[in-house]
Amino acid sequence: MFWKRAVSCAILIPIVIFAVQWSDPRLYFALVIGVTFLMLVEFSRLCKSIGMTEIRVAVVASGILFCASALIDRLAVEFVLALTLFLAFAFQILHRQINSAFMAITTTITGAVYIGWMFGYHLILLRKLNASLGESVGSELILFLVVVTWCGDTAAYILGRWLGKHKLIPQISPGKTVEGTIAGLCIGAIGGLVIWHLLLEEMFGPVHALGLGILLGIVSQISDLSESIVKRTADAKDSGTLIPGHGGFLDRCDSLIFSAPTLYYYFQYAIHA
């Protein structure tokens, strides 16, 4: 499993870095929308195993609309949220599945907001900071985010298996340990400080860098556990099988779902304000 994870990371990390740093943002936007689409499909499959069978089209369509609202200035996110609510009800009315209709509607809205808005929408907004600020800060913030969360994930996995003796929350994630979580927070914060020193020193100071590293580390752990709740409810070990050693795209990107908006709003209101 370790070597499968290592090979997958060796392939995926250069692709992510190239897409983030490439001067033409269209490649990055296409990558985010594509990954968001796959995550939405995996989420709908998990819901199907729970019994929510008639939500896939509504979840995927609504989630992608949230991504589109980040790209198209005239497409307000409030309109997309209202349309998502309407589509969720309309879809169930057409299928006449009364017994499970309300749960399916709730699940549709949750999936669209959870993945489409929290993940895709905010990752696109982060990259668009390049245009609004006239520099590459958006790309550099995304690298900061990826390094903190993925270094933290990797350290928590490796050191947790090596040193972990105390289970964190076994009812939700049986493999996570207290020792691994602490190691992940520390290594993630150190990785963030390295990226800050190399790319972001002129944008904000070391206190913000360290605080952001710790904050994103905590939020990414909560984000990871949140996806574990969905998988435990669906009685599934992984969300998919597309990434060897990692499971699906939802498994690989779960730590970014809550940490991406955290970084965006922290930068907007605590640093750039």
Side-chain angles (χ1 to χ4, degrees), residues 140-158:
E140 291 160 359
L141 284 172
I142 294 166
L143 287 179
F144 183 91
L145 171 68
V146 169
V147 167
V148 170
T149 54
W150 286 0
C151 282
D153 283 350
T154 303
Y157 174 76
I158 295 174

Side-chain angles (χ1 to χ4, degrees), residues 20-43:
V20 171
Q21 293 295 102
W22 185 250
S23 59
D24 188 338
R26 288 176 294 184
L27 175 62
Y28 173 78
F29 295 153
L31 178 65
V32 170
I33 292 172
V35 171
T36 301
F37 172 81
L38 292 172
M39 291 168 65
L40 288 163
V41 170
E42 290 174 355
F43 177 85

